[in-house]
Amino acid sequence: MKKINLGNSGLFASEISLGIMRMNALTHEEATAVIRTAVDNGIDYFDHADIYGRGTSEEIFGKAFKELGIARDSVMLQTKCGIVPGVMFDFSKEHIIASVEGSLKRLQTDYVDALLLHRPDTLMEPEEVAEAFDELHKAGKVRHFGVSNQNPMQIELLKKAVTQPLLINQLQLSLTHAPMIDAGFNVNMVNNPSFMHDGSVLEYSRISDMTIQPWSPFQSGNGKKGLFFDHPDYVELNEKIDAMADDKDVSREAIAIAWLLRHPAKMQPIVGSMNPERIAAICKASDVTLSRTEWYELYMAAGKKLP
């Protein structure tokens, strides 16, 4: 699989990452098969969060990974913290450090390669976050840092105090949920797609050398539930995806991921499948390079219109 330079930092990782949110539903044997398949197909970056499965997803992964005997330094583990489900967001120093300690224990590792702040906390004190990052970085428990679902000014506020580079921003993005792309096409217009929801986060990420990690790359989004595959509102898109998949001899999931990989922002999509066969099929996206014409064909087949 091709590699991506995360945040232009010199930290090279597989351009497709596996999200472990749903691993809490797997048996130990199933989890082992998922990890083995991912590694065998070139994935070396695994995305976690302290809240996934209330911690059990990390725990199941940690046990399975250890028993597989895969060298720790051959993969990168990323986790997230800051959400107290149904209660609040918490970017306090105490919560960040406690969350990382919990993740390290569950993952059975001495360090994580990246820690992301999971959604914004409006009560955040940047200096307090900086203290937590400094302590974790100095202790060797976290090597790199980033954010999730944050806009440019929220990131700039963090940068006011945080000394470590913020390499990553995890954002929802798919063929059918692409407001950051839609707004860029409709500058100086008054139609709905022209509304800037995220403060030009796509362009900001490129200027700031932050890698966007698209999550839910197969979800309909835009208020619609479920996957866009076989969705009745996306007949034309599915026909176009299926035709391209047949032509290139890959799965339709691989085409949807290839569409994200084609963008010059050099994104790292996070796929959440826990099906080994599907994971192997998705990884073939790394061998597919869509032409400019194909990229635009898929975009417009999703119901988008160019001004």
Side-chain angles (χ1 to χ4, degrees), residues 80-192:
K80 301 183 290 294
C81 71
I83 297 178
V84 182
V87 179
M88 62 181 170
F89 301 122
D90 190 348
F91 285 3
S92 67
K93 177 182 178 181
E94 180 183 20
H95 182 80
I96 291 171
I97 291 177
S99 294
V100 170
E101 295 288 359
S103 289
L104 293 178
K105 182 178 180 180
R106 291 187 292 270
L107 291 169
Q108 300 189 42
T109 185
D110 296 327
Y111 69 95
V112 290
D113 297 273
L115 172 69
L116 309 188
L117 296 178
H118 206 175
R119 293 196 176 275
D121 173 16
T122 194
L123 301 183
M124 174 191 74
E125 296 284 358
E127 294 77 12
E128 192 173 359
V129 173
E131 288 180 10
F133 282 11
D134 286 343
E135 186 171 319
L136 291 166
H137 189 255
K138 184 177 180 180
K141 295 178 179 179
V142 178
R143 296 189 171 180
H144 303 279
F145 298 86
V147 298
S148 173
N149 305 293
Q150 295 200 20
N151 66 37
M153 295 312 294
Q154 290 168 330
I155 296 168
E156 285 296 310
L157 178 59
L158 265 174
K159 286 183 177 180
K160 179 182 176 183
V162 172
T163 58
Q164 295 84 7
L166 299 176
L167 303 183
I168 296 162
N169 193 3
Q170 218 172 80
L171 298 161
Q172 184 177 6
L173 181 62
S174 72
L175 265 164
T176 55
H177 180 87
M180 68 179 73
I181 294 174
D182 301 339
F185 281 129
N186 291 273
V187 173
N188 199 35
M189 301 186 72
V190 293
N191 54 12
N192 286 337

Side-chain angles (χ1 to χ4, degrees), residues 20-25 49-58:
I20 309 299
M21 183 174 70
R22 298 180 179 88
M23 189 162 276
N24 65 306
D50 57 354
I51 64 168
Y52 290 165
R54 300 281 181 172
T56 58
S57 290
E58 288 184 328

Side-chain angles (χ1 to χ4, degrees), residues 234-252:
Y234 298 110
V235 174
E236 183 182 353
L237 175 61
N238 278 280
E239 290 176 349
K240 182 65 67 174
I241 288 175
D242 290 343
M244 285 190 188
D246 289 342
D247 179 64
K248 299 177 187 301
D249 193 27
V250 296
S251 68
R252 55 186 183 177

Side-chain angles (χ1 to χ4, degrees), residues 14-39:
S14 57
E15 65 178 351
I16 299 172
S17 170
L18 186 66
I20 309 299
M21 183 174 70
R22 298 180 179 88
M23 189 162 276
N24 65 306
L26 304 187
T27 64
H28 174 72
E29 290 73 20
E30 290 169 336
T32 300
V34 164
I35 298 169
R36 182 76 268 171
T37 299
V39 171

